[in-house]
Amino acid sequence: MKITGATRVLAVIGDPVSHSLSPIMHNGWIADHGLDAVYVALPLRSDDAENEIRALSQFGLAGLNITVPHKQSAARAADRSEGPVANVLRWEEDGSVSGFNTDGPGFLDALDEAAPDWRGRVRRVLMVGAGGAAVAIAEALSAHVDTIYFANRTQARADAAAAGLRVGRVLRWDDLERGFGAADLIIQATTLSMAGQESPAWPFALTKPGVICADIVYRPLETEFLRAARARGLVAMDGLGMLIHQGARAFELWFGVKPDVAKARARLIEALG
Ligand code: NAP
């Protein structure tokens, strides 16, 4: 790739951000489409990044992804935003900035890919966790299901997440077994699956047949949660699907073309080793 003065620059900002897979994903798609653009990772340490993000407007960026902990600041920095949390910013021709959140819709796209019949059979969802990702996914899911149970180590966060949704309910963290027994879709949205964490013994023995189990963690790709779900013969969806589909939606917002998600998966699996 030849970088010139005309090359358009896109970035992901966050803290930390050096481990991000987004540069591999987006630069792969930029090459696929022969675009004169480059995507880099920019670490940004700030308690409130609204002003720093606003200042970025002066540099003529083509687009921005925002990751933890700056998604709320990004929504505030935008001239218009789909909601109070933004993971994508786009600079418009008139210089104004639009904010989008592709995390929740990206999760639904991944679900469509992994379990195409889910819309006809998922009524009750167990959301394990109530952090930023859990809330984004639950918002996107809420129009399609009857109930979303939030179980979270810190009860107050589950209460807040459930209160924000018409279909939201709370399940005590020590009552996870009941949730596993009732759910048609179980989503592991805590950091407990990450490498180096001690994963609990998830109560899969109580699940109904055919339950869809999604882990949004992708390091490692095959988590203890997914291993246990597969051992029980359940549908298991890994965390790369959400990452790739939220990225694909961002790419389309910036460049107006749908990128190849299968090519991205192959590249990211290679990157993850
Ligand atoms: P977050 O807002 O910091 O939330 C973290 C969640 O993990 C909270 O529910 C927290 O519970 C829980 N947790 C942390 N340590 C725990 C422990 N020892 N025991 C029980 N629960 C614990 O983070 P996030 O942005 O939602 O991200 C959550 C995970 O999803 C991360 O691993 C992130 O990498 C991954 N993720 C993946 C994608 C994707 O595209 N696949 C997208 C976003 C995030 P408390 O409230 O009790 O602290």
Side-chain angles (χ1 to χ4, degrees), residues 71-73 75-76 81-86 139:
K71 293 183 187 183
Q72 279 94 348
S73 303
R76 287 198 302 275
S81 178
E82 281 182 336
V85 180
E139 275 174 7

Side-chain angles (χ1 to χ4, degrees), residues 87 101-114 119 136-137 140-141 216 237-250 261:
N87 74 321
N101 195 327
T102 63
D103 282 334
F107 179 89
L108 296 196
D109 293 343
L111 205 49
D112 284 334
E113 194 176 60
R119 288 169 200 266
I137 294 167
L141 267 176
I216 67 164
M237 169 175 135
D238 68 45
L240 270 191
M242 176 178 173
L243 178 77
I244 294 168
H245 283 284
Q246 64 74 29
R249 281 176 175 261
V261 294

Side-chain angles (χ1 to χ4, degrees), residues 68 103 129-134 152-154 157 173 189-192 194 197 216-218 239 242-243 246:
V68 176
D103 282 334
N152 194 53
R153 176 183 62 174
T154 307
R157 237 174 150 186
W173 185 243
T190 75
T191 53
L192 276 171
M194 291 177 76
Q197 293 266 16
I216 67 164
V217 168
Y218 50 81
M242 176 178 173
L243 178 77
Q246 64 74 29

Side-chain angles (χ1 to χ4, degrees), residues 211-227:
V211 170
I212 304 163
C213 304
D215 198 327
I216 67 164
V217 168
Y218 50 81
R219 274 196 178 95
L221 196 54
E222 182 71 353
T223 64
E224 284 300 324
F225 175 90
L226 292 181
R227 220 189 312 276

Side-chain angles (χ1 to χ4, degrees), residues 13 49-57 64 70 73-74 77 89 91:
I13 58 165
E50 183 179 338
N51 287 335
E52 287 91 333
I53 294 170
R54 259 188 229 286
L56 280 175
S57 294
L64 195 68
H70 301 314
S73 303
L89 292 184
W91 276 264

Side-chain angles (χ1 to χ4, degrees), residues 10-74:
L10 300 97
V12 55
I13 58 165
D15 180 25
V17 82
S18 60
H19 65 288
S20 173
L21 292 175
S22 292
I24 291 171
M25 178 164 66
H26 285 291
N27 286 318
W29 286 332
I30 285 168
D32 290 345
H33 291 274
L35 299 166
D36 185 11
V38 63
Y39 184 110
V40 295
L42 302 175
L44 175 57
R45 183 152 295 179
S46 170
D47 289 337
D48 180 359
E50 183 179 338
N51 287 335
E52 287 91 333
I53 294 170
R54 259 188 229 286
L56 280 175
S57 294
Q58 313 299 316
F59 291 95
L61 288 182
L64 195 68
N65 272 140
I66 305 91
T67 187
V68 176
H70 301 314
K71 293 183 187 183
Q72 279 94 348
S73 303

